[in-house]
Amino acid sequence: QVQLVESGGGLVQPGGSLRLSCAASGSIFRINAMGWYRQAPGKQRELVATTGSSGSTNYADSVKGRFTISRDNVKKTVYLEMNRLKPEDTAVYYCNADINSVVYGQRNYWGQGTQVTVSS
């Protein structure tokens, strides 16, 4: 069983910072792309940032310069450092990963989501 477990969400004031973590577990052979997506109430899920297995990164225009995605391949964990948060960043943040596991082969996985609320 392969799982992605997120942590680090919460309530923060505008201009504040949060760090999200997502750890993969299970019989994993290789993790390829990892990323973060978010879904605000009444809106579609959208890409926030992704990182390839070599460390390449890609960001949504709305978060460039404020958010930083990184990964630790030994810990099988991806992080999202969020700075200068705005009320419009409020959403449920989901971790996503392309994982090659021993049992299931190559599949795409989602975490359960973690709420980020930016409000004064």
Side-chain angles (χ1 to χ4, degrees):
Q1 183 83 4
V2 174
Q3 286 186 316
L4 296 176
V5 178
E6 299 121 333
S7 60
L11 173 65
V12 63
Q13 292 186 343
S17 299
L18 280 176
R19 188 191 196 209
L20 305 182
S21 299
C22 171
S25 63
S27 299
I28 295 170
F29 176 67
R30 177 183 173 85
I31 302 177
N32 297 308
M34 303 184 82
W36 291 94
Y37 293 72
R38 66 187 181 187
Q39 188 166 18
K43 294 187 177 182
Q44 290 190 333
R45 192 173 297 188
E46 63 177 7
L47 179 146
V48 176
T50 60
T51 177
S53 57
S54 62
S56 60
T57 59
N58 178 53
Y59 295 93
D61 288 342
S62 59
V63 306
K64 282 181 181 177
R66 300 188 298 121
F67 291 11
T68 302
I69 189 170
S70 61
R71 63 191 286 171
D72 184 327
N73 290 329
V74 174
K75 295 183 178 179
K76 300 184 180 66
T77 299
V78 62
Y79 306 95
L80 186 68
E81 185 75 34
M82 304 185 292
N83 298 313
R84 291 184 281 141
L85 282 159
K86 304 175 181 180
E88 50 264 44
D89 294 317
T90 295
V92 178
Y93 283 69
Y94 296 91
C95 176
N96 179 271
D98 287 326
I99 296 175
N100 193 330
S101 69
V102 174
V103 176
Y104 301 107
Q106 184 74 33
R107 284 190 182 181
N108 185 261
Y109 293 86
W110 289 94
Q112 82 284 359
T114 185
Q115 177 70 45
V116 172
T117 302
V118 184
S119 175
S120 55

